[in-house]
Amino acid sequence: MVTTVKRSKDFIKRKIGPQYVIVAVGAATKRFNGMISVNGTGSFIWDMLENDITLDELVKAITDAYDIDAESAKAHAIAFLDTLKGVGAVAE
């Protein structure tokens, strides 16, 4: 079975000056009241998580958009997804 991930509707991305942040909204603020600062690649990944996507599809999108090899893209994607999962911003 292939696992997909999708971002939670309880979190949103906002641009504050030149920086993007992901913050909880509504009831999710009781579980997580901080923010996750993301760079352009993190913002790209967040946008890709709007719909269900597999890790392989996400890695392909990253390697197509950026000058990075698949192994590095996968490692960075997994680390970022783990951070997002840790605060409840994505679900499998």
Side-chain angles (χ1 to χ4, degrees):
M1 180 170 90
V2 176
T3 303
T4 61
V5 292
K6 184 176 181 178
R7 68 184 187 209
S8 169
K9 299 217 183 293
D10 294 335
F11 286 77
I12 58 172
K13 179 182 76 172
R14 290 290 181 249
K15 187 171 184 179
I16 301 175
Q19 185 69 42
Y20 290 100
V21 294
I22 297 170
V23 296
V25 294
T29 59
K30 292 180 179 162
R31 293 187 319 272
F32 180 74
N33 65 357
M35 68 177 83
I36 300 169
S37 179
V38 297
N39 61 16
T41 307
S43 177
F44 174 83
I45 292 172
W46 181 258
D47 292 344
M48 294 299 301
L49 298 174
E50 182 174 0
N51 299 303
D52 288 338
I53 190 169
T54 66
L55 179 59
D56 288 342
E57 291 168 336
L58 183 57
V59 169
K60 172 86 169 90
I62 294 167
T63 58
D64 287 350
Y66 297 94
D67 184 22
I68 187 171
D69 63 275
E71 185 177 320
S72 297
K74 185 174 184 177
H76 291 297
I78 289 171
F80 186 57
L81 291 173
D82 285 347
T83 297
L84 295 175
K85 287 176 193 173
V87 299
V90 295
E92 292 184 288

